[in-house]
């Protein structure tokens, strides 16, 4: 049976020397839920996401993913456990093809060699899951538009079938038309049961795309509810 809560954070705290970045952050996200994370610069959003994605360890508090303790050792471990993050600044190898970027570090192998046919099929499936099956796998990533590069980044995140996908200011470099395409992609992921943490300064976007929200201020949860 699918748990009612996909991700639960309770009382997370994090300090860097004398600076308390997180004082007490708690939130809960359900399966297939788009959860907006709102707060001004310095509210603690970046620190929280780095803890979730395995870049930092919390000083105190607990995290649970699908009812199990979640304590990633690093970003790769977080992806293996089911949490993937797409940063505001896309992290593609622009000289590599779309397929090579999607599969980077996760190629299918057989008898110690890369299984090209299986790898290509997996990359194609990831794109089709996003409704972009026609994207040219053999084209260099640098030749795509920013919106198409974002699709490649999301497809790479989906390759390991994440339970939670974190999107950091995903529309900051997109046109209005590309933003609409992204929202359609998010709706598709929601229908597939992927939980999404959506970080944005644009409240109108959050109210449109998110199911629930959490507000951070000075490293603490100060509000949450339905959008």
């Amino acid at each position: 049976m699918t748990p009612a809560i996909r991700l639960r954070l309770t009382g997370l705290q994090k300090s860097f020397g004398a600076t308390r970045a997180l004082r007490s952050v708690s939130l809960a996200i359900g399966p297939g839920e788009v959860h907006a994370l709102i707060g001004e610069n310095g509210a603690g959003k970046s620190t929280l996401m780095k803890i979730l994605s395995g870049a930092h360890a919390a000083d105190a508090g607990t995290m649970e993913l699908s009812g199990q303790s979640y304590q990633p050792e690093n970003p790769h471990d977080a992806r293996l456990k089911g949490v993937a993050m797409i940063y505001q600044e896309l992290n593609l190898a622009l000289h590599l093809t779309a397929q090579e970027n999607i599969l980077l570090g996760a190629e299918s192998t057989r008898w110690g060699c890369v299984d090209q046919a299986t790898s290509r099929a997996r990359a194609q499936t990831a794109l089709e899951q996003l409704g972009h099956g026609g994207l040219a796998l053999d084209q260099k990533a640098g030749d795509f538009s920013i919106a198409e590069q974002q699709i490649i980044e999301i497809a790479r995140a989906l390759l390991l079938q994440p339970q939670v996908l974190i999107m950091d200011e995903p529309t900051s470099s997109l046109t209005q038309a590309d933003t609409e395409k992204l929202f359609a992609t998010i709706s598709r992921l929601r229908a597939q049961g992927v939980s999404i943490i959506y970080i944005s300064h644009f409240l109108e976007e959050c109210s449109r795309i998110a199911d629930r929200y959490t507000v951070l201020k000075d490293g603490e949860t100060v509000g949450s509810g339905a959008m």
Side-chain angles (χ1 to χ4, degrees), residues 6-10 12-13 50-83 163:
R6 171 66 54 76
L7 178 69
R8 187 188 299 277
L9 313 179
T10 306
L12 292 188
Q13 300 178 29
K50 287 177 180 178
I51 290 173
L52 268 175
S53 62
H56 292 324
D59 295 334
T62 61
M63 298 190 290
E64 292 182 0
L65 182 64
S66 296
Q68 303 295 319
S69 176
Y70 172 68
Q71 295 177 308
E73 297 178 3
N74 51 55
H76 180 65
D77 186 43
R79 289 187 68 197
L80 292 177
K81 285 180 165 66
V83 177
Q163 299 179 57

Side-chain angles (χ1 to χ4, degrees), residues 179-199:
T179 294
E180 293 299 326
K181 293 177 183 177
L182 175 65
F183 286 172
T185 297
I186 290 173
S187 294
R188 215 175 263 113
L189 293 173
R190 173 199 274 137
Q192 295 165 10
V194 179
S195 302
I196 296 173
I197 298 177
Y198 188 91
I199 304 170

Side-chain angles (χ1 to χ4, degrees), residues 25-115:
V25 173
S26 300
L27 61 87
I29 303 170
E33 176 184 328
V34 179
H35 196 104
L37 189 64
I38 302 168
E40 297 178 352
N41 290 336
K45 302 189 304 298
S46 294
T47 300
L48 177 60
M49 293 306 103
K50 287 177 180 178
I51 290 173
L52 268 175
S53 62
H56 292 324
D59 295 334
T62 61
M63 298 190 290
E64 292 182 0
L65 182 64
S66 296
Q68 303 295 319
S69 176
Y70 172 68
Q71 295 177 308
E73 297 178 3
N74 51 55
H76 180 65
D77 186 43
R79 289 187 68 197
L80 292 177
K81 285 180 165 66
V83 177
M85 181 164 182
I86 299 172
Y87 291 91
Q88 182 176 352
E89 299 296 330
L90 298 181
N91 190 29
L92 296 178
L94 299 181
H95 64 289
L96 299 180
T97 66
Q99 176 177 323
E100 289 168 335
N101 271 282
I102 292 170
L103 294 164
L104 199 59
E107 297 87 351
S108 298
T109 59
R110 187 179 185 185
W111 311 114
C113 299
V114 174
D115 185 336

Side-chain angles (χ1 to χ4, degrees), residues 121-155:
R122 290 172 63 219
Q124 183 66 41
T125 297
L127 289 173
E128 290 173 352
Q129 187 178 350
L130 297 171
H132 289 267
L135 191 143
L137 284 171
D138 296 322
Q139 184 171 318
K140 296 288 180 65
D143 294 335
F144 289 101
S145 69
I146 294 297
E148 289 168 329
Q149 289 178 17
Q150 191 175 57
I151 290 298
I152 295 170
E153 188 93 62
I154 296 173

Side-chain angles (χ1 to χ4, degrees), residues 203-221:
L203 295 182
E204 64 275 13
E205 283 186 7
C206 295
S207 63
R208 177 179 169 188
I209 197 66
D211 303 298
R212 295 178 57 79
Y213 70 90
T214 292
V215 179
L216 299 186
K217 182 177 182 181
D218 297 329
E220 295 185 86
T221 300

